[in-house]
mmCIF file of all heavy atoms in Angstrom:
data_model
loop_
_atom_site.group_PDB
_atom_site.id
_atom_site.type_symbol
_atom_site.label_atom_id
_atom_site.label_comp_id
_atom_site.label_asym_id
_atom_site.label_seq_id
_atom_site.Cartn_x
_atom_site.Cartn_y
_atom_site.Cartn_z
ATOM 1 N N LEU A 157 -10.866 38.563 -75.635
ATOM 2 C CA LEU A 157 -9.752 38.182 -76.505
ATOM 3 C C LEU A 157 -10.187 37.276 -77.651
ATOM 4 O O LEU A 157 -9.372 36.948 -78.520
ATOM 5 C CB LEU A 157 -8.668 37.476 -75.679
ATOM 6 C CG LEU A 157 -7.904 38.346 -74.684
ATOM 7 C CD1 LEU A 157 -7.088 37.479 -73.732
ATOM 8 C CD2 LEU A 157 -6.983 39.327 -75.422
ATOM 9 N N GLY A 158 -11.439 36.848 -77.646
ATOM 10 C CA GLY A 158 -11.924 35.968 -78.697
ATOM 11 C C GLY A 158 -11.504 34.524 -78.533
ATOM 12 O O GLY A 158 -11.529 33.759 -79.517
ATOM 13 N N ARG A 159 -11.153 34.125 -77.328
ATOM 14 C CA ARG A 159 -10.753 32.741 -77.091
ATOM 15 C C ARG A 159 -11.993 31.851 -76.930
ATOM 16 O O ARG A 159 -13.085 32.326 -76.596
ATOM 17 C CB ARG A 159 -9.879 32.640 -75.834
ATOM 18 C CG ARG A 159 -8.657 33.550 -75.859
ATOM 19 C CD ARG A 159 -7.767 33.254 -77.074
ATOM 20 N NE ARG A 159 -6.651 34.194 -77.175
ATOM 21 C CZ ARG A 159 -6.473 35.046 -78.166
ATOM 22 N NH1 ARG A 159 -7.362 35.104 -79.158
ATOM 23 N NH2 ARG A 159 -5.423 35.851 -78.199
ATOM 24 N N THR A 160 -11.839 30.560 -77.153
ATOM 25 C CA THR A 160 -12.897 29.608 -76.847
ATOM 26 C C THR A 160 -12.955 29.431 -75.337
ATOM 27 O O THR A 160 -11.956 29.057 -74.718
ATOM 28 C CB THR A 160 -12.636 28.258 -77.530
ATOM 29 O OG1 THR A 160 -12.648 28.443 -78.957
ATOM 30 C CG2 THR A 160 -13.691 27.238 -77.144
ATOM 31 N N VAL A 161 -14.113 29.699 -74.749
ATOM 32 C CA VAL A 161 -14.263 29.703 -73.301
ATOM 33 C C VAL A 161 -15.101 28.501 -72.875
ATOM 34 O O VAL A 161 -16.232 28.315 -73.342
ATOM 35 C CB VAL A 161 -14.930 31.003 -72.810
ATOM 36 C CG1 VAL A 161 -15.039 31.002 -71.290
ATOM 37 C CG2 VAL A 161 -14.148 32.220 -73.291
ATOM 38 N N ILE A 162 -14.534 27.689 -71.980
ATOM 39 C CA ILE A 162 -15.228 26.539 -71.404
ATOM 40 C C ILE A 162 -15.434 26.817 -69.922
ATOM 41 O O ILE A 162 -14.473 27.125 -69.208
ATOM 42 C CB ILE A 162 -14.419 25.241 -71.581
ATOM 43 C CG1 ILE A 162 -14.273 24.889 -73.071
ATOM 44 C CG2 ILE A 162 -15.071 24.089 -70.821
ATOM 45 C CD1 ILE A 162 -13.360 23.698 -73.339
ATOM 46 N N LEU A 163 -16.669 26.700 -69.466
ATOM 47 C CA LEU A 163 -16.961 26.824 -68.039
ATOM 48 C C LEU A 163 -17.567 25.520 -67.546
ATOM 49 O O LEU A 163 -18.598 25.072 -68.037
ATOM 50 C CB LEU A 163 -17.930 27.975 -67.761
ATOM 51 C CG LEU A 163 -18.363 28.118 -66.292
ATOM 52 C CD1 LEU A 163 -17.169 28.412 -65.387
ATOM 53 C CD2 LEU A 163 -19.434 29.195 -66.141
ATOM 54 N N ASN A 164 -16.906 24.925 -66.574
ATOM 55 C CA ASN A 164 -17.429 23.768 -65.851
ATOM 56 C C ASN A 164 -17.987 24.307 -64.530
ATOM 57 O O ASN A 164 -17.221 24.622 -63.627
ATOM 58 C CB ASN A 164 -16.303 22.762 -65.625
ATOM 59 C CG ASN A 164 -16.685 21.605 -64.739
ATOM 60 O OD1 ASN A 164 -15.887 21.164 -63.919
ATOM 61 N ND2 ASN A 164 -17.879 21.071 -64.876
ATOM 62 N N PRO A 165 -19.312 24.484 -64.415
ATOM 63 C CA PRO A 165 -19.883 25.171 -63.253
ATOM 64 C C PRO A 165 -19.939 24.264 -62.026
ATOM 65 O O PRO A 165 -21.012 23.878 -61.549
ATOM 66 C CB PRO A 165 -21.281 25.556 -63.744
ATOM 67 C CG PRO A 165 -21.636 24.462 -64.682
ATOM 68 C CD PRO A 165 -20.350 24.070 -65.366
ATOM 69 N N ALA A 166 -18.765 23.946 -61.515
ATOM 70 C CA ALA A 166 -18.657 23.005 -60.407
ATOM 71 C C ALA A 166 -17.613 23.502 -59.405
ATOM 72 O O ALA A 166 -16.565 24.004 -59.809
ATOM 73 C CB ALA A 166 -18.243 21.634 -60.940
ATOM 74 N N PRO A 167 -17.908 23.378 -58.121
ATOM 75 C CA PRO A 167 -19.181 22.891 -57.578
ATOM 76 C C PRO A 167 -20.260 23.961 -57.669
ATOM 77 O O PRO A 167 -20.035 25.109 -57.305
ATOM 78 C CB PRO A 167 -18.842 22.589 -56.111
ATOM 79 C CG PRO A 167 -17.697 23.511 -55.802
ATOM 80 C CD PRO A 167 -16.913 23.672 -57.076
ATOM 81 N N ALA A 168 -21.432 23.584 -58.158
ATOM 82 C CA ALA A 168 -22.540 24.523 -58.297
ATOM 83 C C ALA A 168 -23.305 24.620 -56.983
ATOM 84 O O ALA A 168 -23.520 23.613 -56.304
ATOM 85 C CB ALA A 168 -23.480 24.065 -59.408
ATOM 86 N N THR A 169 -23.703 25.831 -56.631
ATOM 87 C CA THR A 169 -24.504 26.040 -55.429
ATOM 88 C C THR A 169 -25.838 26.702 -55.753
ATOM 89 O O THR A 169 -26.670 26.882 -54.871
ATOM 90 C CB THR A 169 -23.741 26.916 -54.416
ATOM 91 O OG1 THR A 169 -23.396 28.160 -55.035
ATOM 92 C CG2 THR A 169 -22.467 26.214 -53.955
#
Side-chain angles (χ1 to χ4, degrees):
L157 291 168
R159 305 302 175 244
T160 297
V161 182
I162 296 174
L163 176 62
N164 173 219
T169 57

